Amino acid sequence: MAAVGRVDVAVVGGGPAGAVTALLLARAGRHVAVYAQSRHEALRLDEAPPPSVNPLLRKLGLWDRFLADSGRLGPMVVEAAEQAGAKVLRGACVGKVSRSSTGLRIEADKPALAKMVVDATGRTARVARAFGAHCVPFEKLVCVARVFDISPESAGDTFIEAAPDGWWHVSPLPHRRRIISLFTDAQEAARSRLATVDGWTRAMARTEHVRDLASGVPCGKIRVTTSTSHELAPPVGEDWIAVGDAAFAVDPLSSDGVEFALRSAIGAAEVLLGGDRSAYRRQVADEASAYRRLRASRRVGQPLASRAETSRAVGIDGAAPSRSTEQDAAALA
Ligand SMILES: Cc1cc2nc3c(=O)[nH]c(=O)nc-3n(C[C@H](O)[C@H](O)[C@H](O)COP(=O)(O)OP(=O)(O)OC[C@H]3O[C@@H](n4cnc5c(N)ncnc54)[C@H](O)[C@@H]3O)c2cc1C
């Protein structure tokens, strides 16, 4: 396949953080390539982001477009970046990024040579970690999920229920399926053998509401994926910068991920257009400190049991489906 050739910036990951970074750089006339492994075929919960995101979408000039696209954030920002001039490589997975005397080699089906790379790979922070950054975890959360084939009339809504061992998340998936996930401590998942059908079913049977939604025919195996929250140290280097979940990831229950994805993309684009790296370091550090304070105040984070005491089951009528992570959903399909 043809190479992309030389670009100013290669963005690895086409989630909201990567797409918005690419959009801003393309608008500023930079030559940008986005390696977007996901084709946005599956619907995601963060495509119906919380209202706190609205002012940012207005600031980015994306508000009308967001409304016109029925509120699907993911594909909308990727298309906006493309129309602004970014080269979007859909379905393209970057295997490795390495330094050479001529620039950064982006190793993929369509390779590129870039001056700078943006790590927008989500919680894996794959590029930044390969360059020596490390993830400082807040909590070792895992997602243990199972997919069910359901009847058309029981398609249902997104639903969240607190439990002593974590929180349950139920979402409709395309093709008349439903994904039921338990977010819990890694140790608890091992202790209760949640990756086994028996362990998962036992935990699910203890729920008040979710057990009524686990009807239908289970399809695929139970899948465990990391959902660990972290701060990346450092979030920016000489020739790379991390955005969104790669730079700072929080418990999905907080619903803050997309907002930070957009804010970090704005901060990163400023750096890549010649701004101050230390301002970006401060931005990420400030977010992480605020999250630590929130955890210390016990509004999120450990112990999980105290969260259950203060939470109640919440059904979100008509909320857009569906997110465990889209990779989880794809892997589970
Ligand atoms: C169950 C659940 C519910 C959530 N609910 C909400 C919510 O209600 N509101 C909210 O604001 N946030 C929510 N979040 C969090 C939100 O989804 C994330 O914070 C947000 O998606 C982060 O955006 P991102 O662009 O940094 O990463 P992602 O959206 O994870 O995107 C990263 C992209 O990088 C791609 N990628 C990875 N490696 C490579 C590679 N090597 N080459 C090419 N591409 C690659 C992946 O395919 C992916 O598409 C939720 C998360 C979960 C798990």
Side-chain angles (χ1 to χ4, degrees), residues 13 15-17 37 44-46 92 94 120 244-245 252 255 257-258 323-324 326:
Q37 188 178 1
R44 294 169 39 146
L45 190 64
D46 58 27
V94 171
D245 276 4
S255 291
V258 171
R323 170 79 172 166
S324 160
E326 65 191 8

Side-chain angles (χ1 to χ4, degrees), residues 144 146 189 192-202 222 224:
V144 196
R146 199 164 198 205
S192 299
R193 305 185 62 237
L194 293 175
T196 65
V197 171
D198 281 354
W200 190 90
T201 308
R202 261 197 310 273
I222 290 174
V224 185

Side-chain angles (χ1 to χ4, degrees), residues 12-18 35-38 40 44-46 48-50 53 92-95 120-124 126 167 169 183 227 243-246 252 255-259 261 323-327:
V12 185
Y35 289 83
Q37 188 178 1
S38 160
H40 289 282
R44 294 169 39 146
L45 190 64
D46 58 27
V53 167
C93 178
V94 171
T121 59
R123 280 169 203 265
T124 61
R126 189 173 169 167
W167 55 280
H169 183 266
F183 288 79
S227 204
V243 289
D245 276 4
S255 291
D256 282 343
V258 171
E259 189 186 336
R323 170 79 172 166
S324 160
T325 64
E326 65 191 8
Q327 297 102 314

Side-chain angles (χ1 to χ4, degrees), residues 46-51 53-54 57-58 61-74 76-77 258:
D46 58 27
E47 285 164 7
V53 167
N54 298 352
L57 291 175
R58 288 198 180 88
L62 294 173
W63 179 244
D64 290 342
R65 204 177 168 130
F66 178 60
L67 294 180
D69 280 12
S70 321
R72 286 201 68 193
L73 183 73
M76 183 275 287
V77 278
V258 171

